[in-house]
Amino acid sequence: MKKESIRLEAVNGVFRISLTVNGVKKNFAVKNNEFLLNALRRYGYKGAKKGCDTGDCGSCTVIFNGKPALACLIPAFTAHGAEITTIEGVGTVRNPHPLQEAFVEAGAVQCGFCIPGMILSSKHLLDVNPSPSEDDIKKYLDGNLCRCTGYVKQIQAVKMAAKKIKKA
Amino acid sequence: MPPIVVKPPTLQALWRSLPSFGGARRYLAGGTDLVAGANAAPAGVKARPKGGSFDRTEVWVDISGLKELRGIKETKTSLMIGAGAKIAELEASPLVRRWLPVLSAAIPHFASPSLRNMATIGGNAANASPCADAVCALCAEKAQVLLEFKGKRRKLALPALFKGPKKTVLRKDELIVAFEVPKWKHSGAYLKLGPRSYFGISKAAVAAALEMDGEKVRSVCIALASVAPVPLLAVKTANYLCGRMLNEENARTAAALVKTEVSPITDVRSEAGYRREMCGVLLERALNSIASGVSGIN
Ligand SMILES: Cc1cc2nc3c(=O)[nH]c(=O)nc-3n(C[C@H](O)[C@H](O)[C@H](O)COP(=O)(O)OP(=O)(O)OC[C@H]3O[C@@H](n4cnc5c(N)ncnc54)[C@H](O)[C@@H]3O)c2cc1C
Ligand code: FES
Ligand code: FES
């Protein structure tokens, strides 16, 4: 293990960072005043949404080194060396994740803006707690705001997904 | 945000490289306070350009790699909580659940699960907001805070860290390394009043830790958030309760007393008179809930 400090220096306001996104190694050039959310969207990961930019809505949620985090509050340069999962890494239209299937089947998606964040938070919940109670789900999705659905269907969807995953 | 970021792996590496950083520098832990300030602007005010409020020549020292700041350890008499511990780590810790009932009760009221994965306990203290939930709870737990600068350490009672809103007694480049929280057989409660039941900055919050001796109160510590320039210890109220029975009548008197100890202001979140009144209400509820044995350590 190297004991020296990591030093990143912006050249003309740009940091060069290496990170892993959805299992693929990437090099990003990020501005020194840029947040991870912007950087991800610029590099094509548009599933991460910008709702508030202040940490309040959860629509920018990504899995950052194994835990859900808010990309709008992460200075992009701190993602140097990080492993990130975005909604693009969870499933595809042809091969959706059980959570994505359940959200569609339960009718939990209206405009869809909050859904990538909802799915990523829910995915982490099910990874650490495969049989969450309704209360667990409500508490865990506390930071993911939805302006359309009223949350009832989404809670149902997470329960359905938990069953699907256990069966599989 | 800064043009240069340095991430030292150890305290030794930090202190060794500090002289080479030049002028202005700033510690970065979870970043949730540091950068949220740059993003948000009050309603009606044009948002500042991102990162624009920071000095362009500043060096940011990312302390999230410092191994000395990590983890939660148990000694014979206390828990040592590293300043770099994330709020979510405290939430998941059996040691915290076992020994720190006030902090355990406060954590569900701290922001949202994803924010708790990012925010550190050290940042919550260094940011010196009178609304800080984890800090308020730790004050009631009788925590001390350990500071270090170039290998020299000092230890303060946690409330003594705060001088005013966003002001601490931290010296230039001094780092919070840990919190030392005594193990004592107490019960606790944390009641927070905000715009909604979860996720929001409080209008007022009350943290109470209480140890009984049979029918009587042996030791009690009460801390309040958002109702004074700093996280406040209600010393007079605690003195009143000490040695008395924990019953509804004494809880009512304590509630009346605590209202004389706070100095709330009117701001965007609430109004001074309401806040003062709610301190009494929250304390009475907290004491009654402890009396009815809702939570605690046996
Ligand atoms: C949407 C949102 C909701 C929030 N809700 C709550 C809430 O409900 N309750 C609550 O209490 N807080 C809340 N906060 C505030 C914030 O998350 C906490 O105060 C957090 O604990 C700060 O920690 P951090 O690691 O992110 O600090 P940072 O932002 O990294 O640092 C904050 C300050 O402390 C300094 N610093 C950090 N660590 C150290 C150290 N070890 N030694 C010396 N200086 C240090 C930094 O230089 C900086 O000035 C919220 C924030 C946001 C954005
Ligand atoms: S855009 Fe990040 S929390 Fe709203
Ligand atoms: S579906 Fe529209 S915000 Fe949730």
Side-chain angles (χ1 to χ4, degrees):
Chain A
M1 286 292 276
K2 238 169 63 181
K3 271 289 165 65
E4 276 318 298
S5 302
I6 297 169
R7 185 184 174 95
L8 285 177
E9 196 159 343
V11 178
N12 297 327
V14 173
F15 286 107
R16 303 206 166 264
I17 62 170
S18 326
L19 67 172
T20 307
V21 187
N22 302 329
V24 181
K25 284 233 179 311
K26 294 275 172 184
N27 294 310
F28 282 10
V30 299
K31 283 170 251 154
N32 80 336
N33 59 358
E34 188 168 22
F35 285 85
L36 180 60
L37 175 58
N38 275 54
L40 284 171
R41 291 182 58 84
R42 244 182 347 96
Y43 279 92
Y45 303 95
K46 296 221 166 142
K49 299 285 184 254
K50 187 186 286 192
C52 66
D53 232 8
T54 53
D56 291 287
C57 76
S59 68
C60 65
T61 305
V62 297
I63 309 287
F64 190 85
N65 292 331
K67 302 267 174 64
L70 303 171
C72 73
L73 289 184
I74 300 176
F77 56 76
T78 61
H80 183 57
E83 288 197 19
I84 292 164
T85 305
T86 67
I87 193 68
E88 288 85 353
V90 173
T92 60
V93 175
R94 278 172 196 281
N95 187 20
H97 186 274
L99 265 163
Q100 291 169 315
E101 284 173 358
F103 267 64
V104 172
E105 284 162 22
V109 183
Q110 290 189 23
C111 82
F113 200 82
C114 67
I115 301 299
M118 285 274 176
I119 301 263
L120 286 162
S121 289
S122 307
K123 181 176 178 301
H124 187 256
L125 170 65
L126 295 184
D127 287 346
V128 295
N129 178 3
S131 322
S133 67
E134 180 155 332
D135 210 38
D136 292 336
I137 299 170
K138 282 186 185 166
K139 282 191 182 142
Y140 208 76
L141 294 182
D142 185 33
N144 291 91
L145 302 191
C146 175
R147 296 290 82 182
C148 302
T149 65
Y151 306 102
V152 175
K153 302 281 186 194
Q154 291 163 346
I155 293 163
Q156 269 174 17
V158 178
K159 284 190 203 160
M160 281 166 58
K163 286 203 191 111
K164 280 176 191 268
I165 292 170
K166 257 185 271 164
K167 268 199 211 139
Chain B
M1 287 184 279
I4 297 176
V5 185
V6 184
K7 187 170 175 178
T10 59
L11 277 177
Q12 214 189 2
L14 166 66
W15 302 134
R16 198 170 352 104
S17 48
L18 203 57
S20 68
F21 297 163
R25 48 222 181 196
R26 189 190 290 267
Y27 290 129
L28 170 70
T32 62
D33 273 319
L34 205 48
V35 304
N39 266 1
V45 177
K46 198 168 168 286
R48 276 171 285 172
K50 278 201 181 173
S53 58
F54 299 110
D55 179 349
R56 295 279 163 187
T57 61
E58 199 171 76
V59 176
W60 277 16
V61 183
D62 182 344
I63 56 175
S64 64
L66 292 176
K67 64 175 176 33
E68 293 90 341
L69 266 54
R70 295 208 189 119
I72 303 160
K73 288 176 217 91
E74 186 178 18
T75 71
K76 234 185 188 158
T77 53
S78 44
L79 296 192
M80 300 293 289
I81 301 177
K86 305 278 185 190
I87 305 298
E89 272 176 81
L90 306 180
E91 189 173 15
S93 159
L95 285 173
V96 170
R97 227 170 296 140
R98 165 95 175 84
W99 290 108
L100 308 180
V102 190
L103 185 61
S104 302
I107 288 173
H109 296 285
F110 190 108
S112 62
S114 44
L115 244 138
R116 297 201 284 272
N117 286 330
M118 306 165 73
T120 65
I121 181 79
N124 201 223
N127 188 53
S129 158
C131 318
D133 290 306
V135 164
C136 178
L138 278 184
C139 287
E141 301 278 10
K142 305 186 180 178
Q144 292 182 300
V145 58
L146 264 71
L147 313 179
E148 181 170 332
F149 176 65
K150 292 194 175 172
K152 269 197 239 96
R153 290 208 170 188
R154 55 181 182 137
K155 187 152 80 173
L156 306 173
L158 179 54
L161 181 70
F162 307 106
K163 278 207 295 207
K166 303 266 166 187
K167 288 204 187 80
T168 64
V169 301
L170 282 171
R171 298 175 188 142
K172 186 172 186 308
D173 294 327
E174 198 172 31
L175 194 67
I176 301 178
V177 286
F179 300 85
E180 185 174 343
V181 200
K183 298 198 285 195
W184 47 303
K185 290 193 168 174
H186 59 297
S187 306
Y190 191 86
L191 297 185
K192 169 170 167 176
L193 189 73
R196 57 194 277 245
S197 37
Y198 287 97
F199 199 9
I201 295 176
S202 63
K203 299 171 194 278
V206 170
L210 207 139
E211 182 184 356
M212 298 301 290
D213 181 6
E215 302 265 272
K216 290 196 175 143
V217 176
R218 182 202 299 266
S219 174
V220 55
C221 196
I222 298 165
L224 298 108
S226 302
V227 291
V230 291
L232 184 78
L233 279 192
V235 179
K236 267 198 269 170
T237 310
N239 285 344
Y240 165 78
L241 282 168
C242 218
R244 286 198 159 76
M245 310 269 282
L246 186 60
N247 56 28
E248 284 185 16
E249 194 190 326
N250 288 338
R252 218 171 300 129
T253 312
L257 201 55
V258 83
K259 289 192 265 181
T260 66
E261 289 200 74
V262 298
S263 53
I265 56 164
T266 297
D267 64 11
V268 287
R269 277 191 279 281
S270 190
E271 194 233 320
Y274 177 73
R275 285 184 149 135
R276 186 185 303 280
E277 204 52 39
M278 286 307 112
C279 290
V281 171
L282 294 176
L283 180 62
E284 194 173 337
R285 282 187 200 159
L287 293 173
N288 289 337
S289 84
I290 292 173
S292 60
V294 173
S295 62
I297 294 172
N298 304 306

